[in-house]
Structures are given as structure tokens and as C-alpha cells.
Amino acid sequence: MTGNNGQNNQVFKMLELKGLSRRNFIKYCSATAALFGLDYSFGFRFAEAATAAIGKKPIIWINGQGCTGCNCSLLSSLSPGPAEILLDLVSMRFNTTIMNSAGYLSADTLLETAEEGGHILLVEGSIPTADPRYCMVEGMAFDELLRKSSKNAAAVVAVGTCSAFGGIPRAGITGAVSVEEIITDKPVVNIPGCPFNPNWLVGTLLYYLNFNELPPLDNLNRPQAYFGNHFVHDTCPRVGYFEKGQFLTNWNDPSTIDWCLLKMGCKGPVTHSDCNRIWFNDGVNSCIRSGSPCAGCVEPQFYKELAPLYVSPLIADGAVLEPVAQPVRGIDPASVALGAGVVAAPFIAYKVAELLKKNKDGDKEHGE
Amino acid sequence: MANKITIDPVTRIEGHLKIEVEVENGLVSDARLVGTMFRGLEQLVEGKDPRDVPYVVERACGV
């Protein structure tokens, strides 16, 4: 069907000239199916056939113990928009949140695509190990579904902190683990974040589709370009106040509203990500800029070891703690100090200690 | 004789849902909705800093 490339593009272009977007084309397909007396779930299959004909990489998106927030993060991407991602870039074969078909129709699509192989498997949500009944899809335990759909996959990407490191569910009672702990026979790219930034996934996909290989990864298998090289702290819009030793300690004081959030529990100095550079919601804002301390959501220690969120890991009772190397599952403990590089974190802690000493008298402590 | 219809997964929703419907002589005689995923967020926040709770439990649904 690849010979139809030009023809299909021409069809899309023609439709667009007439004011019909590709997204509306799916709706159009559904309506067409209804006209033919078919269940409107065939609409997705029609549109799928159209995109498959253009020879796109098939994508399977499966949900484990997650909240679908990462899925929504991807779908709220505006440049490229969801239609461009789903129709131009890839062929999304299975994604329960947006697919038209349900029940056996969707399950068959998943299993057929997984059997064909060569697809990119995106996994959202952690995998329960305490009891398989904690997550069942199509009457199948989720770890079984994960193994089945990753067997012939060209690439496995864990999207969101739940699937990358266990995330919030790992702190619970269901024995939630990451994809890496289930899929041990092939490399897994981790794109953590709660939720992740769509640019991280779209960028990784573009890299993979262009070069047919995984992008350079850091020691936690996160794409180096987005995570490995810098801390949230490095590009923080409040870093100037940090340098001056001006720390927000009272949420109700409007005169300090833009000050450094370190004393309110900010994990920015130990968190690797470029959140403050590319921001979320297509450059609208980032957590710290909108007044919320960094929760460290892209680090493997999130949430369990980084709780409580509003208490800084570097400060207790006004005194600065030295970051302690913590063993992380399957990762060299020597290279991880509270999720930070061993060189950078003590340096920042030292700086913080100095600043706090300087401001000890003039600064009232509120709680932490 | 009851005819059982199962729809699993239900799509275009957040999370995991299964519907089981039993049809007898063209009428629904029994129907069940099954949420097929559990994380135990309530137990998870037990003993945690109360300020963390809104942050954690809002992850019940990300849609």
C-alpha cells in the first residue's frame, strides 16, 4: 500500500483545502461507517486503514496502574498537535483513551499489532506484583499483557514516572514496579514525569523514527537531552532569589511571592529535568514558575522517598543535610545521591548552607 | 437461556472498565460494571504529611 503515499497525502491536502482537518476526518470515517449501517466503531478502523496505508510506524499505548494523565499530556500538545502526532508521525493502533472501538474489537487490534511486531510500545502506569488482580486488561493480568505486547516490539518506552520507576503506586500496597523490572530482555527508555512533558516523548519518537535507534540515555535510561545534563535548579526562574538568599517562608506574604521555594520543599536542586527551560502546556508555565515547589517527579525516588513534598530534602530544622547516596533498584548507588550527581548536589548543599548561615538572623522559620 | 455480553476494555474513559450484561429474551436481566485496576491511594496516604494528600489523590484521574 506504500505506493499510495502521494495519493493519500493528496487526499488529505484536498480535504484540508476544503476545511476538513485530519482529526475531523476520523469523525467523518465514523459517520461514513454509520451510513453503511456499520457500528460507528468502524470509523476508527477506516481512519486506521488510511494512516496504515501511508506506512506509519505502529504504536501501542497500554495503561497499567496509572491515571491517564500522561496520555492527556500528550494529547494536549499543540505544536505538533494531536492530529499531527497521531496521523502524520505514527499510526496509533491501540490507545483506550481515544480509540473508537471497544471490547474485542480493540483487544483484537492490540493483539494483532503486537503479533505483527515492529511497533513502538508505550507503557503508562506501573505493574502490580502483589496480586495480578490489581490490574486486569481484557481478562488478562497486566504483566502478561505487557510481556505479550513487548515481545515483538521494536522499542519499549515507559512513559510517566509510574511506568518508568513505579512512581506514586510504588508507595502503596499493590507491589507496583516499573517496566524495567518486568521487561528485562530488551532496553526500555524511561520518560518519567508526573505527568511527562509531551516534548520529551515526541522528541524521543522523532529521534527514533529518523535514526532508527534510541537516543543517548543517562544512567537511569532517560533521554540525556531532557534529563541527564542539568538540574531543575539550573534554569529556575527564581534562581536569582536563591543566589541572594531570599527564601519564601510564608505563603501568605505577597511581598515574597517570587522568592526561592527551597524552604517550602523544592526538590529542584536534586532533580534532573529541563522543565524550567521548555515549560509545560506548550510553553505556558512550569511548576516552580507558577508557585509550586518542584516535587522531583522525574526521579526514581518519587514519591516514596521524596515525601513529604513540602519539606526540602536538603534542609531539616533549618540545618542543611548532606545528600546521602541511596541504593536505587538496578542502578549503581555510587552515581546517585538523592537523584543528583555526586559532584553537583554536595556543591549546592554547601552553597545553601552558606546562604542559610548568612540569613539566619533575619529569616523566620515557618515549620520546616 | 441468558446471553452474556462482555465489553472489556471500555474505551474513551480514564482507566480500566469492564461491562458485563446478561440478556434474557431480549431484555437485560443483570448488568455489572467492573473497575479492573486498583492502586490503594487511600492506604498510600495514611501516615503521610497531610499537605501531600491533594497532590497524591488528584492522581486518581489525570483526564
Side-chain angles (χ1 to χ4, degrees):
Chain A
M1 293 295 281
T2 44
N4 284 345
N5 257 4
Q7 200 185 335
N8 272 317
N9 278 334
Q10 271 178 358
V11 171
F12 277 131
K13 266 181 197 150
M14 189 190 73
L15 289 173
E16 265 170 351
L17 278 175
K18 293 184 176 221
L20 182 67
S21 73
R22 285 162 198 224
R23 200 169 193 200
N24 283 332
F25 181 60
I26 292 187
K27 288 185 193 164
Y28 172 81
C29 289
S30 303
T32 310
L35 277 176
F36 282 115
L38 298 166
D39 186 277
Y40 70 95
S41 60
F42 278 88
F44 182 83
R45 295 200 151 187
F46 281 9
E48 186 196 339
T51 53
I54 313 173
K56 299 292 184 287
K57 195 81 174 167
I59 294 255
I60 296 178
W61 181 302
I62 55 175
N63 291 61
Q65 290 177 293
C67 70
T68 317
C70 291
N71 209 328
C72 285
S73 186
L74 174 67
L75 296 175
S76 42
S77 168
L78 290 176
S79 52
E84 281 76 24
I85 297 168
L86 298 177
L87 295 178
D88 289 348
L89 190 59
V90 295
S91 163
M92 187 73 88
R93 301 281 178 92
F94 183 85
N95 183 328
T96 52
T97 313
I98 53 170
M99 71 192 303
N100 231 334
S101 60
Y104 70 91
L105 276 178
S106 67
D108 288 354
T109 314
L110 167 62
L111 296 175
E112 275 166 25
T113 312
E115 194 58 41
E116 271 172 35
H119 57 283
I120 300 174
L121 176 69
L122 305 180
V123 189
E124 177 183 357
S126 55
I127 303 100
T129 55
D131 189 322
R133 287 174 298 174
Y134 284 142
C135 188
M136 304 285 289
V137 183
E138 300 152 32
M140 204 190 292
F142 183 64
D143 63 325
E144 194 190 331
L145 179 80
L146 176 60
R147 285 196 185 91
K148 224 176 234 184
S149 39
S150 74
K151 199 175 143 211
N152 298 327
V156 181
V157 184
V159 289
T161 307
C162 294
S163 59
F165 303 124
I168 287 178
R170 189 167 63 84
I173 58 165
T174 57
V177 298
S178 66
V179 174
E180 274 179 328
E181 286 165 87
I182 302 290
I183 306 300
T184 46
D185 58 339
K186 53 177 70 183
V188 176
V189 181
N190 289 328
I191 304 185
C194 195
F196 71 85
N197 189 318
N199 294 313
W200 301 340
L201 177 61
V202 174
T204 305
L205 286 178
L206 281 172
Y207 187 98
Y208 181 78
L209 294 172
N210 276 312
F211 301 106
N212 212 22
E213 62 179 54
L214 301 175
L217 305 173
D218 71 2
N219 65 339
L220 297 169
N221 286 343
R222 301 176 294 194
Q224 196 135 29
Y226 304 115
F227 299 97
N229 297 328
H230 31 247
F231 294 100
V232 167
H233 180 79
D234 297 348
T235 45
C236 180
R238 295 167 189 258
V239 77
Y241 295 98
F242 172 85
E243 298 287 344
K244 285 185 277 183
Q246 292 177 319
F247 299 102
L248 189 152
T249 52
N250 180 0
W251 292 118
N252 297 318
D253 182 358
S255 66
T256 64
I257 198 164
D258 292 326
W259 288 15
C260 177
L261 297 168
L262 189 80
K263 287 195 173 180
M264 301 313 262
C266 186
K267 315 285 192 288
V270 292
T271 303
H272 296 79
S273 124
D274 61 355
C275 297
N276 284 325
R277 269 200 326 191
I278 57 176
W279 298 358
F280 275 69
N281 300 338
D282 277 283
V284 171
N285 218 336
S286 71
C287 299
I288 291 176
R289 196 169 164 274
S290 67
S292 175
C294 173
C297 72
V298 297
E299 295 298 333
Q301 290 87 352
F302 179 81
Y303 154 80
K304 204 174 175 183
E305 286 88 24
L306 286 182
L309 296 169
Y310 295 97
V311 177
S312 169
L314 298 179
I315 303 170
D317 299 327
V320 174
L321 301 175
E322 285 295 317
V324 184
Q326 285 187 347
V328 181
R329 304 174 320 276
I331 292 142
D332 173 24
S335 61
V336 183
L338 267 175
V342 277
V343 183
F347 170 66
I348 290 168
Y350 168 73
K351 258 177 113 176
V352 175
E354 234 181 7
L355 285 165
L356 288 178
K357 219 185 279 173
K358 228 188 289 176
N359 293 279
K360 210 165 67 181
D361 303 325
D363 209 3
K364 257 192 259 163
E365 290 291 332
H366 289 260
E368 293 72 45
Chain B
M1 188 63 198
N3 185 16
K4 195 169 164 185
I5 301 168
T6 307
I7 302 173
D8 181 18
V10 177
T11 56
R12 277 163 295 151
I13 55 154
E14 185 280 321
H16 304 265
L17 191 69
K18 174 164 82 167
I19 296 177
E20 287 174 348
V21 182
E22 276 172 35
V23 183
E24 219 164 334
N25 304 323
L27 295 171
V28 174
S29 59
D30 198 5
R32 278 179 296 276
L33 280 180
V34 188
T36 59
M37 189 269 280
F38 174 77
R39 281 166 295 172
L41 290 177
E42 292 89 348
Q43 286 97 328
L44 198 154
V45 293
E46 270 177 22
K48 296 285 192 305
D49 190 319
R51 292 171 296 176
D52 286 10
V53 177
Y55 187 97
V56 173
V57 298
E58 72 171 358
R59 264 72 174 170
C61 176
V63 175

